[in-house]
Structure formats: structure tokens, C-alpha cells
Amino acid sequence: MAATLQTPLYAAISSSPASSSSSSSSIRTTTSFSFFRSTPPPTLLFNSKNSFSLIRASSTDTVITELDAVSAFSEIVPDTVIFDDFQKFPPTAATVSSSLILGICGLPDTIFRKAVEMALADSECYGLQDPNARLSCFATKALVNVGSDMTKLVPGRVSTEVDARLAYDTHGIIRKVHDLLKLYNDSNVPHERLLFKIPSTWQGIEAARLLESEGIQTHLTFVYSFAQAAAAAQAGASVIQIFVGRVRDWARNHSGDKEIESAKLNGEDPGLALVTKAYNYIHQYGHKSKLMAAAVRNKQDLFSLLGVDYIIAPLKVLQSLKESVASGDEKYSFARRLSPQSADRYMFSDEEV
């Protein structure tokens, strides 16, 4: 995990030239963004009590698209960091990750280049004798500098990735979050605007529980089982992220997992079934967590998850939804699949509870 998620970042930072120039031109990379709201979203063009969206519909557009229709049930999240796409799918919040910093370092002109260069010129980091500590310092400063700039561009919350090499170290995660929070405080970013993205190992979930008890909002990711989702909800995580497509991919090539086999036996997609069960658990037992469905591969996946708090969808799916017009009758035919009412009727086994 460390090599995959972290090593390219440090390699890029250590080889990236520091300069004082910056540019406002667009970044071109394919790393995924995640978006979160801390304020009520805007109402869409047709009236609905559950009308929420992270895709801002035009107030002058009189055409109801499929994107407008599905956004009445879930907050639809564009999966992109291609900033040219912001005009089509404006983000309201963001995630700052090692992959994003890598993309910034790999391009000559981006709107966040100066934030990274300032981190590379930090005298405190240069004063560290240990090379690993020095690179870690540069990376941390770069994440916070870019994250601070993000809070000026989006109205919602910014989630900052915690070093994945700390995934099995509860106290290490907590120390890292405190370090990140201090740097954000130094940049005058209020903690209400921040989330901290933590891997959902048992140690990560315990770290989230302790951080949430301090009033620090956490975003638990890499959830691939109901046990993880339930534990994350019990820990009080602010956001829980499940990768629908990754669960499906794993299930196609593996067997013997009781949870996966149960979903298949019922004729269900394992990834969609996990999101459904986690959503029902959160709402039936009154947990505060918001659920995010990621790695959504197609429109049918999205339609099957309507009602979940957040759906991260690739641009090709969003573009298809935006280009498909819903007639006056069709806009009401999109059914909400997940709701607090349906959650109350869901039956959990004694073992699951």
C-alpha cells in the first residue's frame, strides 16, 4: 500500500524543481476527486423535498435532464481533477491526496504549482537531517498548502489524505492528523472545513473514533466489507466510502467469502449489496455517518444507488446523464432505492448485528 500510494509522491517532490513562478492554467491529470458538503445544497429545477446535488444546475436551463432527475435523490460527485471540467461539473468540495500532488508536480503550469513550490522551499523541512523525515515534511506541507488553496475555491469541505503507511498505527494516524490540523490552523483554515481521509483498517477506525471524540471530522476509505462499514459507523466517522466496482471486480475472481457468496446467492451485485446493507445499518441504528459510493462504473450502478448520500461517478457517466433529456413524466420515474424508511424494514441477522 505504501509503495503504491506514497512512493510516487515523494519521488516527484524530490525531483520537482522549485521556482517562484506560477500559472493559473489548467491541470491535466486523471486522479479522482471526492466532494463533500458542509452546507445545504441548492434546489434543482423541479420541486422535491429531497432535491440535493453537487452538480450545479443552470438557473436558466428549462430542460430537465437525467442528471437533474437523479440529483434529486443523491449528491452526484464528479470523479475528476481535470480543472477544465469545472465549468461543466463545478465541484463544491474536494480531496487533497498524494496522487493530486503527483499530478501537480508532473506538469509545468497548474493553478496549484506555487503551493507545492512553497512547500519545497520550506526551511523547517530542509533543516531535518533524516532524508525520510525531510521528504515526509515536504509532502505534508504540500498537502496542506494545496488544501488551503482548495478551501478558497470551493464552498464545502476539503478532505486531506493521511499517509497510507500509517494504516496500521492508531497513534501514528492521530499524530499525523494533529500535525495536519495545526498546519491548517496556521493557514487560518477553520476545522469545520476539513475532513481527514483514513484507511479503514481496525487501527484506522479506532483512530477515527478518537479523533471524532475531539471534534475532528474523519473520512474512512477502503471499506470492502460490512464489518468495516459497521465498525466505521459505530466509531462515528463523518463519511464512509465504499468502492462498488472494486468489490465487484474482486468477487469475479475470488470465492469462499461468506458475504460475497450470500449476495451472489440472492442474485445481487456484491458491491451494490454492500452499499445497501451499510446504508440500512447506519439509518436503522441511528449513526451520524454519511455514506459515499465510489467506483461507480455505469448509469445502472448509479440508478441502483439512488438515495445514498454521495455517489462518485466518472465523467463519461455524468456526460451521458447530462445529455439525456428526461420528459415531464420520466423525471418522476427515477425511484429512490435507499431511504431511512426502507432501512427500518431491513432485517439484520443476529450475527451481523
Side-chain angles (χ1 to χ4, degrees), residues 7 20 27 82 176 192 199 224:
T7 301
S20 59
I27 181 171
I82 301 176
K176 176 59 71 174
E192 294 86 359
Y224 299 111

Side-chain angles (χ1 to χ4, degrees), residues 54-80:
L54 286 177
I55 309 299
R56 302 170 188 162
S58 169
S59 60
T60 60
D61 189 359
T62 58
V63 177
I64 300 298
T65 68
E66 287 186 348
L67 181 59
D68 295 323
V70 299
S71 296
F73 304 102
S74 296
E75 297 189 355
I76 309 301
V77 177
D79 186 5
T80 183

Side-chain angles (χ1 to χ4, degrees), residues 69-349:
V70 299
S71 296
F73 304 102
S74 296
E75 297 189 355
I76 309 301
V77 177
D79 186 5
T80 183
V81 291
I82 301 176
F83 295 110
D84 286 349
D85 292 318
F86 281 14
Q87 294 301 316
K88 292 186 293 183
F89 305 108
T92 60
T95 288
V96 181
S97 66
S98 55
S99 297
L100 176 62
I101 302 300
L102 177 62
I104 293 171
C105 290
L107 294 169
D109 296 304
T110 78
I111 59 176
F112 300 111
R113 183 73 181 201
K114 185 176 181 181
V116 174
E117 290 170 347
M118 288 177 63
L120 295 177
D122 189 89
S123 59
E124 179 183 347
C125 296
Y126 270 111
L128 298 174
Q129 298 301 312
D130 182 355
N132 290 327
R134 187 162 57 249
L135 288 176
S136 180
C137 180
F138 286 140
T140 299
K141 293 290 180 71
L143 286 169
V144 171
N145 286 355
V146 173
S148 297
D149 284 354
M150 285 286 189
T151 63
K152 301 172 185 176
L153 298 176
V154 298
R157 292 177 290 181
V158 171
S159 182
T160 303
E161 178 186 82
V162 174
D163 193 333
R165 294 174 299 179
L166 300 172
Y168 298 96
D169 182 352
T170 296
H171 296 294
I173 292 171
I174 293 173
R175 283 194 297 270
K176 176 59 71 174
V177 170
H178 286 165
D179 289 344
L180 290 166
L181 189 58
K182 182 180 183 302
L183 291 173
Y184 274 117
N185 287 337
D186 292 342
S187 297
N188 297 316
V189 178
H191 73 274
E192 294 86 359
R193 298 288 311 281
L194 301 171
L195 286 160
F196 295 95
K197 191 173 183 180
I198 299 169
S200 295
T201 58
W202 296 116
Q203 294 86 348
I205 292 170
E206 176 64 9
R209 183 184 70 81
L210 295 170
L211 289 166
E212 290 282 351
S213 71
E214 299 177 24
I216 299 172
Q217 300 176 105
T218 60
H219 165 197
L220 283 172
T221 187
F222 302 137
V223 173
Y224 299 111
S225 70
F226 176 67
Q228 285 177 288
Q234 292 171 13
S238 296
V239 176
I240 300 172
Q241 185 171 350
I242 296 176
F243 293 90
V244 175
R246 295 187 195 179
V247 174
R248 177 186 304 147
D249 294 343
W250 191 91
R252 285 172 178 165
N253 300 306
H254 297 80
S255 61
D257 182 277
K258 184 177 180 180
E259 191 173 342
I260 298 293
E261 297 302 324
S262 175
K264 289 181 176 179
L265 189 63
N266 294 329
E268 300 173 325
D269 176 89
L272 298 175
L274 176 56
V275 172
T276 299
K277 184 183 288 188
Y279 178 93
N280 290 336
Y281 180 82
I282 288 169
H283 285 271
Q284 189 173 132
Y285 289 92
H287 297 294
K288 73 167 189 176
S289 304
K290 299 295 185 182
L291 191 61
M292 172 175 282
V296 170
R297 302 283 172 75
N298 51 59
K299 289 206 296 188
Q300 189 54 52
D301 281 351
L302 191 149
F303 294 152
S304 299
L305 294 169
L306 291 181
V308 73
D309 300 291
Y310 309 105
I311 301 176
I312 301 181
L315 289 182
K316 64 178 182 179
V317 172
L318 295 183
Q319 193 63 43
S320 176
L321 290 170
K322 189 174 183 179
E323 292 172 353
S324 301
V325 178
S327 70
D329 294 332
E330 288 175 345
K331 70 184 180 184
Y332 299 106
S333 67
F334 292 90
R336 180 170 183 168
R337 304 300 180 90
L338 303 175
S339 70
Q341 292 74 29
S342 64
D344 287 339
R345 298 190 296 269
Y346 190 89
M347 299 297 292
F348 288 95
S349 68

Side-chain angles (χ1 to χ4, degrees), residues 18-77:
S19 70
S20 59
S21 62
S22 63
S23 172
S24 60
S25 60
S26 299
I27 181 171
R28 284 278 178 187
T29 182
T30 56
T31 311
S32 71
F33 249 63
S34 301
F35 307 91
F36 311 91
R37 299 190 63 90
S38 58
T39 56
T43 302
L44 292 177
L45 298 176
F46 58 92
N47 187 25
S48 171
K49 291 182 180 179
N50 297 314
S51 184
F52 301 111
S53 179
L54 286 177
I55 309 299
R56 302 170 188 162
S58 169
S59 60
T60 60
D61 189 359
T62 58
V63 177
I64 300 298
T65 68
E66 287 186 348
L67 181 59
D68 295 323
V70 299
S71 296
F73 304 102
S74 296
E75 297 189 355
I76 309 301
V77 177

